[in-house]
Each structure stands twice: as C-alpha cells, then as structure tokens.
Amino acid sequence: MTDLHLVPDTFPADDRPLFIVGSVRSGTTLLRNLLRRVPDFICPEETHFFRWSEPFRTPHSYQPHRKSALLRKHREMDGVPEEVFEALLEESRDKAELQRGYITAFARAKGMTGPYRWFDKTPQNFFGAALIAQEMPKARFLHLVRNPLNVVASLVLGRQVKVTDIHGACNYWIEAVQFMATVEMAYPERVLTVRYEDLVEDVPGVMARILDHAQVAAPPGLYSAADVHRERNLWRGALVDGLAEVVLERCGALAVRHGYDLSADLRPRRRFF
C-alpha cells in the first residue's frame, strides 16, 4: 500500500462520500462552493479518477493523470505534492484506493487533525458512477441537471469549455443524463437528482435536501437567496441560426423527464422571428 511516510492513515478518508456529477456547465462548481461551507466536509479540486474507462494500472490509465497540466494544477491547489501523488498512483490497487488515498493526502495538506467527511466534484465521473457504486457501497451521488439549452449555449460560447460541434455539445448533456438515469434505476436511494434552476430558486431548501441525502449535519443559516443569481438564459443570444432547434431535436425528449419543455422555451422566439 501507499508509503505511510508520504500519506499517513491516522485519519483515513471516510467511507460515506458524496459524488457530485452531471454535465459540465450545469452549476457543479457553485454547488461545490456551497457545500464547502459545511465544517469538516472537504472537497479537493476535480480529480477525474473515475472519468476514464481504461482499467486502472493498465498503461493507458496512467497517462491522463501524469500528462494533464490541468490535473497537475489541481493537485498543486490541493497541496498534494507530485511525489505523494506518484506514490499513490503506483501503490493503489484500484481507482477507489487511489481516490481514498488522495483524499487522505488532501486532508493532511489542509491540516485536518480529526474526523471529517468528504465529497468529490468531478462532473464527468458519471462515466464511472456504476463502478463507484460497487467499489464504495456507502457512497451517494448528487446529479445536477440544467436546462440543456443553457448547457449547450455555455459550451458553444466557450468561456470555460468550448465545443464548436453542436452535436458534441448536446452529447455532453445527453450522455450525463442517460448514464445517471441508469445508475438511479439501479440505486434509487443513493442518487439524488437536482435541477440547477431549483437550486438557484430556493438555495436554503435545496441545500437542506442535499445535505439530508448526503447524511451530513450542518449548522443553521449557512445559505440564503443572496448566494446565487437567477438563470440568465444565455441561449437566447448564443443559439442562433437553427442551433436551438438542434438542441430541441436532440435533447427535447430527455429534457421532459426532468421537467423542461424546450418547445415552450423556443415558442416566444419563433413568434418573434
């Protein structure tokens, strides 16, 4: 196992984590920042440990972690030295051990001296959610979903992640909701699906639901309506020349399952033009 001189196990990672997953550009960073207010509930930067499908400890499984400048930057922000991460990568037998070892190293870097709970915010970990559920039987999931018109618009605009192919942008949203629908059918008590729009409409109420789902206690008064801004519907200006209609065609049926009526969203603009 991992060299204890590098990562001591005095306070090993708790075995009841919460994984925040979903399409990118769905508000997962906002949710992470809100949850970080809870005392002794810690979360590193995005880890991506369960994102890729290659079996762990096979040659291709190492490359994303060793080669990605972004993930190296995340480890720097977390205070986890590269030599510690390399030891974890070499000594962990599977992805779950890598995840728990990294959280322990992160907690040490934060100076944790007592028990803690933890969560992970890597939206694309939905690709490995079934494996997480098997490897971590007490883990729970928070699936954050947002109106696909705004998700796709954000990707097209490219302020954080840019996707020029409209179908590729749609697939970010489609694959996330399809994967998590399957996981939720298998583990209904372990998956909570929350709409971004509901979160920004009622921050205290939705955060109370999320904390109850994660089985995490929090002091009162952590959240208020002032913590967020209302949805700005950037798609109205970004999805032009038929792009919004492509999103309707590709995502409309799945969106209905989450309470979105994309046809109704597009109707006012159709009348205008």
Side-chain angles (χ1 to χ4, degrees):
M1 296 299 295
T2 304
D3 185 345
L4 296 184
H5 290 94
L6 294 175
V7 185
D9 63 352
T10 306
F11 296 103
D14 182 85
D15 67 349
R16 298 167 295 158
L18 175 71
F19 285 84
I20 299 174
V21 296
S23 172
V24 299
R25 312 308 304 148
S26 293
T28 57
T29 299
L30 168 66
L31 179 55
R32 179 201 64 189
N33 294 341
L34 292 172
L35 285 174
R36 277 178 168 174
R37 296 181 187 177
V38 179
D40 300 322
F41 195 31
I42 64 173
C43 177
E45 296 300 310
E46 293 183 7
T47 61
H48 296 254
F49 293 147
F50 287 90
R51 174 181 179 178
W52 292 285
S53 60
E54 288 81 4
F56 187 61
R57 297 187 67 88
T58 59
H60 291 296
S61 71
Y62 292 117
Q63 293 186 21
H65 302 297
R66 287 175 170 154
K67 301 294 185 181
S68 171
L70 177 62
L71 294 183
R72 291 176 70 93
K73 180 63 176 179
H74 285 181
R75 294 192 289 270
E76 179 183 344
M77 294 170 67
D78 289 339
V80 177
E82 285 303 306
E83 61 269 22
V84 171
F85 182 70
E86 189 62 31
L88 286 167
L89 207 57
E90 288 291 340
E91 299 299 329
S92 298
R93 296 172 297 180
D94 55 38
K95 294 175 183 178
E97 285 189 357
L98 177 62
Q99 177 87 58
R100 290 189 181 100
Y102 189 86
I103 293 294
T104 301
F106 173 60
R108 178 192 185 190
K110 289 180 64 68
M112 304 293 292
T113 58
Y116 58 87
R117 296 286 307 278
W118 64 276
F119 65 102
D120 181 281
K121 193 282 287 189
T122 303
Q124 301 94 326
N125 271 347
F126 68 80
F127 286 114
L131 182 60
I132 293 170
Q134 290 288 316
E135 293 286 338
M136 300 183 179
K138 296 181 182 179
R140 296 199 167 203
F141 301 91
L142 189 288
H143 174 213
L144 193 61
V145 62
R146 185 184 185 186
N147 188 313
L149 288 166
N150 282 318
V151 171
V152 172
S154 181
L155 291 168
V156 169
L157 291 169
R159 293 173 181 174
Q160 277 75 32
V161 179
K162 187 170 184 63
V163 180
T164 57
D165 185 302
I166 186 65
H167 294 288
C170 288
N171 288 338
Y172 262 95
W173 189 88
I174 291 168
E175 292 184 12
V177 298
Q178 287 180 327
F179 266 89
M180 289 312 299
T182 302
V183 174
E184 188 168 2
M185 284 191 290
Y187 304 101
E189 295 182 356
R190 296 172 64 184
V191 179
L192 175 65
T193 298
V194 169
R195 301 196 323 166
Y196 171 79
E197 294 80 6
D198 295 333
L199 173 63
V200 299
E201 186 68 27
D202 180 16
V203 181
V206 172
M207 290 305 297
R209 287 178 56 210
I210 292 170
L211 291 169
D212 180 68
H213 175 68
Q215 300 175 325
V216 171
L222 282 184
Y223 307 111
S224 73
D227 290 327
V228 300
H229 60 73
R230 289 181 176 271
E231 181 64 276
R232 288 175 285 190
N233 291 322
L234 295 176
W235 70 268
R236 298 185 186 280
L239 299 182
V240 297
D241 299 326
L243 294 183
E245 282 71 19
V246 173
V247 179
L248 170 62
E249 178 188 1
R250 292 291 317 282
C251 305
L254 286 172
V256 169
R257 300 179 190 178
H258 295 285
Y260 301 111
D261 186 344
L262 304 193
S263 294
D265 289 337
L266 268 60
R267 211 168 286 136
R269 195 171 71 170
R270 286 170 174 163
R271 286 199 301 267
F272 180 79
F273 286 103

